[in-house]
């Protein structure tokens, strides 16, 4: 079993494209795309495959309970065929112990130390449990994992997760699958301004403008699934998200103009003709 998994990981790495001039870097690994796709919610494997290709993603999360590395025609076989790196996640875990065990099983099954860490408080909200999350993150970092935690939009918790060694911080914009967008942009900006690791919007994106806003707020990447896989046209929405992430990144790098309460003319006032009120021009 170990040989099979090592072969899979090697195949994924070997076909990964070279990073572009503004790559996303997580734990020393670079990606050209700043869009991370999830695989949940797709109506079929064919639809998922076309959406993944349209998105341009190079990193895709897969819940361990949905994954069987030995089955042909699976999500994993699609990712391997297109050189997309798999990021196992601990979706469905409610305690630190469950998450740590799931991460270790993923490492054994897939031969990767990377894990998207999810520890939720209940099934109704799917909001992260901050205490269990921090506990699991610390244990997994000590165990040699590269940990990418799904967390609340809490700047203090984000700082604590970075302090214990997480490779990225993945705050939610709003509850998973809600499509409500970023409900607290101010907190996002507080997180991105202080973070020393990449900040990735995780959960809540409903449409392309949500992804663009996340990037404009300083996020290094966007993670989404339902917004694409449950869209009426998943492939088309995937392409929209790809462009939105790129546009938001460019806007962030360019720097927006200050917000003003009053108008400010864009044309210069020098050289304006002085008209004689006694001699109208027409």
């Amino acid at each position: 079993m170990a040989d099979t998994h090592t072969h899979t990981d090697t195949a994924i790495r070997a076909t990964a494209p070279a990073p572009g001039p503004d790559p996303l870097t997580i734990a020393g690994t670079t990606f050209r795309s700043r869009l991370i796709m999830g695989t949940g919610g797709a109506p079929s494997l064919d639809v998922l495959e076309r959406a993944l290709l349209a998105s341009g993603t190079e990193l895709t999360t897969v819940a361990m309970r949905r994954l069987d590395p030995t089955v042909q025609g699976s999500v994993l076989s699609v990712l391997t065929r297109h050189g997309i790196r798999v990021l196992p996640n601990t979706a469905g875990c409610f305690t630190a112990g469950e998450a740590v065990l799931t991460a270790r099983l993923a490492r054994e099954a897939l031969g990767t130390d990377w894990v998207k860490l999810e520890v939720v408080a209940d099934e109704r909200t799917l909001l992260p449990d901050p205490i269990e999350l921090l506990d699991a993150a610390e244990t997994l970092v000590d165990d040699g994992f590269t940990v990418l935690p799904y967390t609340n939009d809490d700047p203090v918790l984000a700082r604590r997760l970075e302090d214990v060694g997480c490779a990225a911080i993945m705050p939610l914009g709003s509850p998973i699958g809600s499509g409500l967008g970023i409900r607290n942009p101010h907190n996002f900006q507080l997180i991105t301004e202080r973070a020393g690791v990449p900040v990735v919007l995780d959960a809540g994106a409903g449409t392309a403008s949500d992804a663009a806003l996340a990037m404009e707020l300083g996020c290094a990447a966007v993670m989404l699934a339902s917004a694409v896989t449950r869209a009426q046209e998943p492939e088309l929405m995937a392409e929209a998200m790809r462009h939105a992430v790129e546009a938001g990144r460019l806007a962030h790098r360019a720097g927006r103009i200050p917000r003003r309460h009053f108008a400010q003319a864009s044309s210069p006032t020098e050289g304006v003709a002085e008209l004689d009120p006694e001699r109208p021009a027409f």
Side-chain angles (χ1 to χ4, degrees), residues 189-201:
Q189 201 148 24
L190 290 175
I191 293 173
T192 59
E193 286 175 353
R194 299 183 63 183
V197 296
V199 177
V200 182
L201 168 68

Side-chain angles (χ1 to χ4, degrees), residues 36-262:
I36 303 172
M37 279 280 295
T39 53
S44 70
L45 201 57
D46 178 60
V47 170
L48 175 63
E49 182 170 10
R50 286 189 278 113
L52 289 172
L53 293 177
S55 75
T57 190
E58 298 167 273
L59 183 64
T60 299
T61 62
V62 179
M64 277 304 294
R65 66 175 181 274
R66 299 183 59 237
L67 192 60
D68 184 348
T70 65
V71 174
Q72 295 298 316
S74 66
V75 172
L76 184 59
S77 66
V78 170
L79 301 183
T80 302
R81 182 160 62 248
H82 297 293
I84 300 173
R85 183 167 180 154
V86 62
L87 175 62
N89 73 31
T90 62
C93 293
F94 293 89
T95 67
E98 292 174 358
V100 169
L101 175 60
T102 302
R104 288 172 176 166
L105 290 173
R107 177 162 63 185
E108 174 64 24
L110 300 172
T112 176
D113 289 328
W114 285 43
V115 63
K116 182 194 167 191
L117 177 61
E118 291 187 28
V119 188
V120 297
D122 58 70
E123 293 183 345
R124 177 176 170 77
T125 66
L126 297 179
L127 292 174
D129 183 320
I131 297 173
E132 296 291 324
L133 178 68
L134 190 60
D135 187 13
E138 192 164 12
T139 300
L140 290 172
V141 169
D142 290 344
D143 203 15
F145 280 88
T146 297
V147 181
L148 290 74
Y150 159 67
T151 180
N152 297 293
D153 60 354
D154 178 352
V156 177
L157 179 58
R159 189 66 175 272
R160 291 291 304 275
L161 288 165
E162 183 178 345
D163 289 345
V164 301
C166 291
I169 305 298
M170 304 180 74
L172 57 85
S174 50
I176 291 173
S178 68
L180 291 172
I182 299 177
R183 307 302 288 174
N184 197 337
H186 179 65
N187 272 24
F188 259 76
Q189 201 148 24
L190 290 175
I191 293 173
T192 59
E193 286 175 353
R194 299 183 63 183
V197 296
V199 177
V200 182
L201 168 68
D202 185 1
T207 189
S209 56
D210 298 327
L213 175 60
M215 299 302 291
E216 290 173 9
L217 291 171
C219 287
V222 169
M223 160 78 209
L224 52 84
S226 300
V228 165
T229 59
R230 291 177 175 150
Q232 294 180 27
E233 298 288 344
E235 186 176 354
L236 196 58
M237 184 60 83
E239 185 176 356
M241 291 295 187
R242 176 181 190 165
H243 293 306
V245 168
E246 293 171 354
R249 175 66 178 175
L250 289 174
H252 175 70
R253 293 176 63 194
R256 63 158 298 127
I257 64 170
R259 291 182 171 86
R260 301 176 186 278
H261 289 292
F262 302 102

